[in-house]
Amino acid sequence: ALLVRRTLPQRARSLVGAWCFADAYGPTPAPRARVMDTGPHPHTGLQTVSWLYRGEIEHRDSAGHHAMGRPAEVNLMTAGRGIQHSEVSTDDARELHGVQLWIALPDAHRDVAPFFESFAPEAFRHDDATLHVFVGELLGHGSAVTAFTRLVGAQLDLPAGGAVRIPVHEGSEHGLLVD
């Protein structure tokens, strides 16, 4: 019921830095409740980053965390040595639009105890763009969620005809997911 577009991994490229999955979904009208109904499933050795543009998702996991995912708030689950979770759209979500990104944990942190974090970054302007930094740090703005490698996850909204210049770290790989 929910079309998902997978950008990573691909045959030609499996990673961009530590980012190992990039799934985008929506905008999808939700004619019924629970149009997203991803039942309990396990993860190990990675972090999942859920970022919504529209809608609402309920997260539950085997470590006892229960949280709502809402637009402009990041939900980051660190699976570490193992966790099971589910994500279900709420009865009030009449449209779903967002991304789920996965981060491969470095070997030194692959077996950390699982944990969950939520953070609502402040929007800021840079050139013609409005940005929300939900993982890492960019342009002096940072996220409060835990990152075990140097990386950045940010929503960049650019109006038609607008321009923005973003400085990047030359020693890193870079990717842009256009939605």
Side-chain angles (χ1 to χ4, degrees), residues 2-169:
L2 187 63
L3 176 65
V4 175
R5 294 174 308 283
R6 176 154 293 156
T7 303
L8 280 177
Q10 296 276 330
R11 237 179 250 191
R13 176 171 290 278
S14 58
L15 296 164
V16 174
W19 299 104
C20 59
F21 262 72
D23 287 350
Y25 54 88
T28 300
R32 60 180 170 75
R34 302 169 73 96
V35 71
M36 175 189 277
D37 192 359
T38 306
H41 61 283
H43 290 284
T44 61
L46 56 83
Q47 294 178 292
T48 61
V49 177
S50 297
W51 182 257
L52 284 172
Y53 308 120
R54 283 189 221 96
E56 185 178 63
I57 296 171
E58 182 176 18
H59 165 96
R60 291 183 187 273
D61 65 45
S62 58
H65 304 107
H66 176 237
M68 304 309 289
R70 296 183 177 96
E73 294 179 12
V74 65
N75 278 352
L76 184 138
M77 182 185 73
T78 299
R81 65 177 168 250
I83 196 168
Q84 187 176 55
H85 80 123
S86 64
E87 289 180 311
V88 178
S89 55
T90 67
D91 293 344
D92 294 334
R94 291 296 163 223
E95 183 176 22
L96 286 176
H97 189 191
V99 294
Q100 186 169 83
L101 310 166
W102 293 9
I103 303 166
L105 288 172
D107 288 341
H109 300 284
R110 200 158 301 239
D111 291 324
V112 301
F115 62 95
F116 182 87
E117 300 168 282
S118 208
F119 174 67
E122 295 269 335
F124 67 96
R125 300 274 307 165
H126 178 75
D127 295 340
D128 294 334
T130 301
L131 290 91
H132 293 83
V133 178
F134 53 86
V135 177
E137 186 178 320
L138 182 65
L139 298 167
H141 296 265
S143 173
V145 300
T146 304
F148 292 94
T149 53
R150 185 181 63 221
L151 48 75
V152 175
Q155 178 179 332
L156 188 151
D157 295 309
L158 188 63
V164 64
R165 184 177 218 104
I166 306 286
V168 295
H169 188 272

